[in-house]
């Protein structure tokens, strides 16, 4: 069953025909230029082979002859071979030129693709690095600093002429001072309005500037 199982892709087909025709196809090193019309020969030789179809052979042959290994082998003075390794004539200059052009274009495409990928990697690295640079500035807590600097504010007792309606004062509440505005004066008692809107009556001695 395994021997008649159909080959799945061009890579497997190339490996198979290299096994069947080792004097013509090779999987390593520089490939030999193939006889013109080698596809017809392949199709005839493998016509009854259940492992591979003509469509697969055509696709595999196209992949094999467009590989860098094969294009490197198509050079001045190289000899074409048939399925059995027999020489089938020297390469023509136009075929050599075509192969060299195809090789140069293929290498240029690969180089451009690699350059593009490298550029993407650099851009992604920059994009990831930008938030990282901002993070050290986040722990700053200016509010905490202002609260600490405001806590030890020193106050003094109000002078008599400073106890007037509308004057901004601090009310000594024991634990600390609260900002307030004088709204009414009645002898020693003074009515003030705190910043939260509440009003209260305190002794003038509890008011601070």
């Amino acid at each position: 069953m395994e021997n008649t199982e159909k080959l799945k892709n061009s890579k497997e087909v190339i490996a198979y025909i290299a096994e069947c025709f080792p004097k013509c196809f090779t999987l390593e090193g520089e490939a030999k230029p193939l006889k013109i019309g080698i596809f017809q020969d392949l199709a005839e030789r493998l016509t009854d082979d259940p492992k591979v179809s003509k469509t697969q052979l055509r696709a595999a042959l196209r992949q094999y002859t467009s590989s860098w290994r094969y294009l490197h082998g198509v050079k001045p003075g190289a000899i074409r071979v048939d399925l059995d390794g027999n020489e089938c004539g020297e390469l023509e200059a136009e075929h050599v030129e075509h192969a060299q052009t195809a090789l140069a274009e293929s290498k240029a495409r690969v180089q451009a693709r690699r350059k593009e990928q490298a550029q993407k990697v650099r851009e992604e690295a920059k994009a990831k690095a930008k938030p990282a640079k901002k993070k050290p500035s986040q722990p700053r807590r200016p509010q905490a600093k202002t609260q600490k600097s405001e806590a030890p504010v020193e106050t003094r007792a109000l002078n008599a002429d400073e106890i007037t309606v509308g004057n901004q004062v601090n009310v000594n509440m024991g634990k600390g001072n609260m900002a307030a505005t004088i709204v009414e004066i009645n002898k020693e008692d003074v009515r003030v309005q705190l910043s939260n809107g509440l009003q209260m009556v305190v002794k003038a001695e509890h008011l601070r500037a």
Side-chain angles (χ1 to χ4, degrees):
M1 294 292 289
E2 290 181 1
N3 292 334
T4 57
E5 186 177 349
K6 212 167 189 64
L7 300 173
K8 298 181 179 65
N9 52 51
S10 293
K11 185 177 180 181
E12 290 186 1
V13 174
I14 292 171
Y16 181 61
I17 59 179
E19 181 182 343
C20 295
F21 309 103
K23 293 182 179 180
C24 179
F25 297 95
T26 175
L27 298 179
E28 296 179 355
E30 193 172 270
K32 298 175 183 178
L34 301 177
K35 168 192 172 184
I36 294 176
I38 195 85
F39 170 72
Q40 285 79 5
D41 295 346
L42 263 177
E44 288 177 11
R45 291 281 194 98
L46 301 175
T47 186
D48 296 324
D49 195 319
K51 281 190 174 185
V52 64
S53 66
K54 285 186 178 181
T55 302
Q56 286 177 308
L57 282 175
R58 186 178 283 106
L61 201 58
R62 189 181 302 116
Q63 181 174 317
Y64 184 83
T65 55
S66 62
S67 69
W68 288 7
R69 285 194 315 112
Y70 184 84
L71 294 175
H72 270 296
V74 180
K75 55 191 176 182
I79 305 297
R80 293 182 182 276
V81 296
D82 63 11
L83 293 178
D84 300 314
N86 299 316
E87 295 185 356
C88 297
E90 189 173 335
L91 284 168
E92 294 182 10
E94 60 180 304
H95 294 157
V96 173
E97 185 179 349
H98 176 75
Q100 290 177 345
T101 301
L103 180 61
E105 290 176 351
S106 179
K107 287 185 175 182
R109 284 195 298 271
V110 171
Q111 188 175 4
R113 197 178 305 120
R114 286 176 181 171
K115 190 175 180 180
E116 184 180 346
Q117 289 174 347
Q119 181 64 24
K120 283 184 180 180
V121 170
R122 284 194 295 269
E123 288 176 358
E124 288 175 2
K126 284 182 181 179
K128 290 179 181 179
K130 284 182 179 178
K133 290 180 180 180
K134 291 182 180 179
K135 286 182 180 178
S137 62
Q138 291 177 355
R140 295 179 184 174
R141 297 178 182 175
Q143 293 182 350
K145 290 183 179 180
T146 54
Q147 289 175 357
K148 289 181 180 179
S149 61
E150 290 173 0
V153 173
E154 295 184 3
T155 59
R156 60 174 175 78
L158 289 175
N159 297 324
D161 59 351
E162 291 179 312
I163 303 176
T164 57
V165 175
N167 195 14
Q168 300 288 328
V169 296
N170 286 301
V171 181
N172 189 339
M173 303 296 291
K175 294 181 180 179
N177 298 318
M178 295 186 66
T181 304
I182 297 175
V183 295
E184 185 182 351
I185 301 171
N186 185 13
K187 295 183 181 181
E188 295 183 359
D189 295 334
V190 180
R191 180 179 294 278
V192 297
Q193 180 172 322
L194 302 177
S195 57
N196 59 11
L198 295 177
Q199 293 189 5
M200 61 188 299
V201 177
V202 298
K203 297 290 183 181
E205 61 192 46
H206 292 152
L207 299 180
R208 315 288 290 177

